[in-house]
Amino acid sequence: SDGDKGRRRQGPVTLHGTMMGAIRRETEAARAGRKGHVIAKLNALLEEQIIDALYEASQAGVRVDLIVRGVCSVRAGLPGISEKLAVHSIVGRFLEHHRMYYFHNGGVEELYVGSADLMDRNLHRRIETLFPILDPAILRHLRDEVLEVYLRDNTQARVLQPDGTYLRLTPGDELPVNAQLALMAESERNR
């Protein structure tokens, strides 16, 4: 509800329900012919109900972009199941700990940042926290200058194929993008 928009989400109390509700909202928007988009950057994706909800969202037409560094139980690009779902894995110089969850939400975008992976233990058996980004300028920066940079990475990224293998991306004719180096360079420019 709007009354608790600025409140953080904690596992095992509200985190799972918040994530499920946000994914379902994107699914319903797509079914109604509106835009649905989920972007998640995390280290592990194993929780079955979340995975089922992401498959359902993809089937409804929601664009689902996952940036999963480690273990991922989703199969991307399966006809009729996960055609609108992409999984990128980026393992670079730095071991990154942050998790980010973006939801288009009918244009009233939501972005949560914190420590929680989408795993049973993180959502149901541990104290984990995500907090919402309420400042629209910060949300846009994180969406456009952080998450989108990871999705454009073509030097460190591997993309999950329908057969369960990962294909290493290469720049080809495109400008090389290394997300970690790009974010370090941006940090230097902003000093």
Side-chain angles (χ1 to χ4, degrees), residues 153-156 168-177:
D153 188 302
N154 59 12
T155 63
Q156 297 292 313
R168 175 93 184 242
L169 297 182
T170 58
D173 293 336
E174 300 171 340
L175 186 65
V177 177

Side-chain angles (χ1 to χ4, degrees), residues 18-162:
T18 297
M19 292 293 106
M20 290 293 292
I23 296 166
R24 286 183 179 134
R25 190 178 55 233
E26 298 301 312
T27 303
E28 292 308 314
R31 285 186 179 139
R34 297 185 308 271
K35 178 179 179 177
H37 193 189
V38 174
I39 306 172
K41 183 185 182 303
L42 59 160
N43 284 346
L45 174 55
L46 296 168
E47 208 277 338
E48 291 179 15
Q49 289 179 317
I50 297 284
I51 291 168
D52 288 344
L54 290 171
Y55 284 151
E56 186 177 343
S58 174
Q59 292 164 22
V62 175
R63 182 173 149 204
V64 179
D65 291 308
L66 304 174
I67 306 156
V68 186
R69 183 183 190 284
V71 65
C72 179
S73 292
V74 166
R75 293 285 295 270
L78 295 174
I81 298 172
S82 57
E83 292 171 84
K84 301 277 287 180
L85 190 151
V87 177
H88 296 248
S89 177
I90 300 172
V91 179
R93 175 178 169 192
F94 301 105
L95 175 60
E96 300 175 12
H97 187 70
H98 62 284
R99 280 71 164 173
M100 303 171 78
Y101 301 95
Y102 167 86
F103 304 96
H104 182 260
N105 191 28
V108 184
E109 298 167 297
E110 290 182 332
L111 180 67
Y112 293 92
V113 178
S115 64
D117 279 315
L118 299 179
M119 302 169 63
D120 184 65
R121 72 176 189 200
N122 296 73
L123 296 172
H124 303 293
R125 296 193 311 273
R126 287 169 55 167
I127 303 298
E128 297 278 357
T129 302
L130 293 176
F131 58 91
I133 301 299
L134 301 177
D135 183 306
I138 295 172
L139 189 149
R140 281 191 306 276
H141 170 76
L142 292 173
R143 181 196 65 210
D144 298 341
E145 305 300 325
V146 176
L147 291 172
E148 289 296 332
V149 169
Y150 280 102
L151 292 172
R152 289 193 323 266
D153 188 302
N154 59 12
T155 63
Q156 297 292 313
R158 290 168 174 76
V159 177
L160 183 61
Q161 303 300 297

